[in-house]
Amino acid sequence: MAFDFILDEMNEIARMRLANAVNTESNLTSRVFENIAASLDIDLKPYDTKFNLIDEGLVRRRNQIAHGEYLDISSKEFGELSAEVVGLMRLYKTDLENAASLQAYKRPAAA
């Protein structure tokens, strides 16, 4: 029945609720990032080595601050963390732009 719906509606414009399109589960952990990137066919290899940075360097620290804990971070450490995060964001931006220009989000139509 679901397949009938999909096949019968192939020529119709898709209507999606974008408010629920990306679920960050309130914290962008490496697992959530993997799910989002995989859904967009973004290659995860360049990010594998950064998952600890995301989970420990960002999410854990964010949670500590959000729960009122004191976070002692040197200006040097903050600068390094900031540079890493900005680098990740630039890499992801490039991956998203490439995926959009190559229309990688499109799936082949069934024969």
Side-chain angles (χ1 to χ4, degrees):
M1 195 141 170
F3 288 111
D4 291 334
F5 172 77
I6 292 169
L7 293 174
D8 291 343
E9 302 297 323
M10 289 291 284
N11 295 324
E12 297 296 320
I13 295 173
R15 299 192 199 310
M16 301 181 336
R17 290 180 288 185
L18 295 179
N20 298 329
V22 175
N23 183 2
T24 63
E25 300 178 23
S26 299
N27 279 318
L28 186 60
T29 63
S30 61
R31 183 183 52 78
V32 172
F33 175 79
E34 280 183 289
N35 289 338
I36 294 169
S39 73
L40 299 170
D41 286 335
I42 301 293
D43 181 17
L44 289 167
K45 286 180 188 153
Y47 303 96
D48 285 346
T49 61
K50 303 298 183 183
F51 288 167
N52 189 57
L53 170 75
I54 293 169
D55 293 332
E56 294 298 318
L58 295 176
V59 176
R60 184 182 56 79
R61 286 178 172 160
R62 177 249 174 236
N63 289 341
Q64 286 177 310
I65 293 168
H67 293 283
E69 295 178 38
Y70 178 75
L71 181 63
D72 189 15
I73 185 169
S74 69
S75 60
K76 180 183 176 197
E77 190 178 4
F78 177 79
E80 291 169 355
L81 179 62
S82 176
E84 289 272 1
V85 170
V86 169
L88 272 173
M89 292 171 70
R90 286 185 176 138
L91 177 61
Y92 195 61
K93 174 186 166 270
T94 300
D95 284 343
L96 288 173
E97 288 173 338
N98 289 339
S101 67
L102 295 172
Q103 299 182 357
Y105 53 88
K106 290 185 176 180
R107 303 288 184 258

